[in-house]
Amino acid sequence: MTHQQDAPPLNEQAAYAQLQSALPALFDRIIPDRTAPRTIVVVPSMSVDPEMASGIAGVHHYEERMLGMLMLLRLPRARLIYLTSQPVSETIIDYYLHLLQGVPAQHARARLTMLACFDSTTRPLSEKIMARPRLLARVREAIGDPSNAYITAYTVSAWERSLAIRLGVPIYGCDPELQPLGSKTGGRRLMRQAGISVPDGAEDLTDEADVVAALAALKARNPNLRRAVVKLNEGISGEGNAAFEFEDAPTGDGLAPWIADRLPHLTIQAEGMTWDSFRAKVREMGAVVEAFIEADEKRSPSAQFNVDPFGYVEAVSTHDQVLQGQVFLGCQFPADEAYRLQIQEAAAKVARLLGQRGVLGRFAIDFISTRRGSTWRHYGIELNLRKGGTTHPFLMLLLLTGGAYDPVSGLFRTPAGQPRFYYASDNLEAPHYKGLTPSDLVDVAVLHGLHYDGTVHEGVVFHLIGALSEFGKLGVVCVGASPERAEALYRRTVEVLDHAQDAE
């Protein structure tokens, strides 16, 4: 894989295992005591295939999605070190610090260290950090006592493992040796093992001939099948998926040659990716083929779980994903009441298997759900052993409110017991948003009341702010006392932004 390193030498594996063994004692010390000193090193590295990542507009600004972690500075002795490829505007930092309730922004800022590589290439952030010895030394200096520190990362790849060893600090995240469990192939196998239905298909495909054979077998099993999906094993947010149409397909011996002839005309989701590059990715990382689920009513829910350093498996959230085609745009929390507990129960079976295999940290299981009458049927389609598009909105809700998720009802409640809902998007995007600076956004938000009110636990929080001026792209989390209120806040936000360039 182009973005990964080779398998680590035995001494690196041993060093990493020793580091990770310190996590339970650290968490046992700091979790019960909010005044305990701790240092959180945030490494929001998109350590994924660079070619697929490059198709995401403003992708290096996705490192800002974890800025909600600054809310941890509400803990009076917590220190945060936040690493990025490019510097984050002080206006953006100030925006987040002023979301803290009961903590002077100056006090929080003194406990925050922002460090940047000044490198906008598509290389993984952790690789960039390790290529800069002086920057690495500044990180070590900021950490101070490593026995009180841990790393939280967007993706834990071999690069993050090496960075952890260089810093002498464990990672609260999945061992990269276990990442194959979260590939498209690994996910399908694990979900079947857990007893979850998956779309008809085939996995562990290694080349074009495998894909042709899998598509032909799929069509032969279901002559009425209209469409199928070819998924690269390590695609992200739908990037790396491609649709194949069976319209006018012959039967019998002519089917496989017909598919082979049309395979170069796949509809590939990743912007700018050609058939030649997609075929090369199949050979490099493998792929799966799945039947496209056809239904009059179809949803894309997701369940998020966490395994803590003590091995405890907990349900974190459910969401209904908002998709454009197969590309993730945003989400609604929680998933529809009609099926959210069904989704959670199904995902829990996978989560328990992952916990038994030593997976650590947050992960999500995605589904396709269809309805016939009053009955919903759920198909597991993807397992993400990393933080994802549903992670940071929920963390923002959790850290802003101090509330908790109730797995019995599938609702999130504030400390006063009031339920809260949100509508979130990573892709609030329009050409006329370009040119709006972070300061402009703050001005517009203040003028139109687009802010989060901690007294009632409702309002709007922005992220991906750094991508706004250049790419016309922004993220938003709209928190409300009802699903309708959250969606109304989102519509109001879009309405305001659509006129933000007008003269005030």
Side-chain angles (χ1 to χ4, degrees):
M1 300 185 316
T2 58
H3 61 281
Q4 296 275 349
Q5 297 167 302
D6 295 331
L10 291 177
N11 59 339
E12 180 167 305
Q13 287 180 318
Y16 185 70
Q18 184 176 358
L19 273 180
Q20 295 302 98
S21 69
L23 268 177
L26 171 62
F27 274 58
D28 192 44
R29 188 168 70 249
I30 67 174
I31 296 302
D33 182 3
R34 69 182 302 273
T35 66
R38 71 201 74 191
T39 300
I40 303 102
V41 184
V42 184
V43 184
S45 186
M46 290 275 288
S47 297
V48 295
D49 184 84
E51 187 171 354
M52 281 187 288
S54 65
I56 302 173
V59 66
H60 68 271
H61 290 289
Y62 276 60
E63 293 173 1
E64 297 176 22
R65 291 195 298 181
M66 291 180 69
L67 281 170
M69 299 291 289
L70 269 61
M71 298 301 99
L72 287 172
L73 293 169
R74 75 182 191 281
L75 301 170
R77 299 180 70 188
R79 292 189 298 149
L80 205 77
I81 302 166
Y82 200 103
L83 292 145
T84 52
S85 294
Q86 290 283 6
V88 178
S89 163
E90 280 294 329
T91 300
I92 297 173
I93 298 168
D94 183 71
Y95 172 79
Y96 281 94
L97 293 181
H98 277 83
L99 292 171
L100 287 165
Q101 296 289 311
V103 179
Q106 184 179 12
H107 190 278
R109 188 64 180 90
R111 293 181 283 117
L112 172 64
T113 302
M114 301 290 298
L115 295 171
C117 299
F118 292 86
D119 183 343
S120 60
T121 63
T122 57
R123 290 187 302 162
L125 173 61
S126 297
E127 181 186 3
K128 298 174 188 177
I129 295 165
M130 289 189 291
R132 292 163 169 80
R134 288 182 176 271
L135 176 60
L136 201 61
R138 286 196 290 276
V139 178
R140 289 197 196 97
E141 182 180 1
I143 288 172
D145 182 1
S147 68
N148 287 332
Y150 66 93
I151 294 170
T152 180
Y154 179 83
T155 307
V156 183
S157 73
W159 293 111
E160 285 69 48
R161 176 179 57 204
S162 295
L163 178 62
I165 293 169
R166 297 278 291 274
L167 294 175
V169 173
I171 301 177
Y172 188 14
C174 184
D175 187 329
E177 294 301 299
L178 298 176
Q179 286 296 340
L181 293 172
S183 69
K184 301 298 186 292
T185 288
R188 280 178 58 88
R189 287 175 174 164
L190 202 67
M191 286 186 279
R192 280 203 305 267
Q193 186 178 344
I196 295 175
S197 296
V198 297
D200 189 14
E203 56 268 358
D204 206 19
L205 311 178
T206 60
D207 58 23
E208 181 180 0
D210 283 352
V211 173
V212 170
L215 288 168
L218 194 62
K219 180 66 171 174
R221 287 194 297 272
N222 181 2
N224 295 322
L225 186 66
R226 294 166 49 199
R227 288 181 284 180
V229 185
V230 184
K231 299 180 178 180
L232 296 175
N233 257 339
E234 296 170 41
I236 55 168
S237 301
E239 304 286 340
N241 291 359
F244 185 85
E245 302 280 346
F246 283 109
E247 187 177 358
D248 298 326
T251 59
D253 293 341
L255 178 58
W258 182 90
I259 291 172
D261 184 56
R262 282 156 180 77
L263 200 58
H265 305 292
L266 282 169
T267 304
I268 301 169
Q269 291 289 338
E271 187 175 347
M273 183 174 282
T274 65
W275 160 242
D276 286 339
S277 57
F278 187 87
R279 177 171 53 182
K281 293 297 180 190
V282 171
R283 294 170 180 168
E284 178 186 331
M285 63 178 60
V288 303
V289 159
E290 291 182 347
F292 186 86
I293 304 296
E294 307 279 359
D296 292 336
E297 185 170 2
K298 186 164 63 172
R299 307 276 183 85
S300 299
S302 174
Q304 191 176 154
F305 276 73
N306 183 66
V307 181
D308 71 15
F310 308 104
Y312 177 71
V313 179
E314 63 174 336
V316 173
S317 64
T318 64
H319 291 85
D320 276 322
Q321 299 182 88
V322 180
L323 304 178
Q324 184 177 73
Q326 298 175 49
V327 177
F328 178 85
L329 295 182
C331 58
Q332 293 173 287
F333 168 86
D336 193 300
E337 184 179 9
Y339 53 72
R340 60 175 170 250
L341 294 182
Q342 297 173 16
I343 290 297
Q344 181 175 279
E345 182 181 355
K349 298 175 183 178
V350 180
R352 286 191 287 269
L353 288 178
L354 290 170
Q356 292 168 10
R357 284 160 171 74
V359 166
L360 174 67
R362 291 178 183 263
F363 52 88
I365 299 98
D366 296 341
F367 296 83
I368 289 291
S369 299
T370 63
R371 184 165 73 170
R372 177 172 294 177
S374 61
T375 302
W376 286 92
R377 184 173 182 182
H378 311 290
Y379 302 86
I381 59 167
E382 193 162 327
L383 168 61
N384 296 306
L385 292 184
R386 53 172 171 78
K387 294 178 174 63
T390 59
T391 306
H392 54 280
F394 184 82
L395 279 174
M396 182 62 73
L397 177 69
L398 179 70
L399 296 174
L400 279 172
T401 65
Y405 178 70
D406 173 19
V408 176
S409 65
L411 294 174
F412 183 92
R413 298 186 185 278
T414 68
Q418 300 169 324
R420 285 297 178 267
F421 306 81
Y422 61 73
Y423 190 105
S425 176
D426 285 344
N427 287 276
L428 186 49
E429 185 174 4
H432 51 276
Y433 296 170
K434 292 181 180 180
L436 288 170
T437 67
S439 295
D440 294 332
L441 179 65
V442 171
D443 287 344
V444 169
V446 170
L447 181 64
H448 295 276
L450 298 179
H451 60 271
Y452 179 81
D453 185 344
T455 61
V456 296
H457 297 305
E458 278 197 320
V460 177
V461 181
F462 294 105
H463 59 275
L464 285 180
I465 298 172
L468 183 58
S469 184
E470 182 179 355
F471 298 97
K473 186 174 185 177
L474 185 65
V476 66
V477 182
C478 299
V479 180
S482 67
E484 295 77 16
R485 171 65 175 157
E487 194 164 350
L489 282 169
Y490 178 78
R491 290 196 301 269
R492 169 65 176 154
T493 301
V494 174
E495 179 185 353
V496 168
L497 288 173
D498 281 346
H499 295 90
Q501 295 282 26
D502 296 347
E504 300 291 355

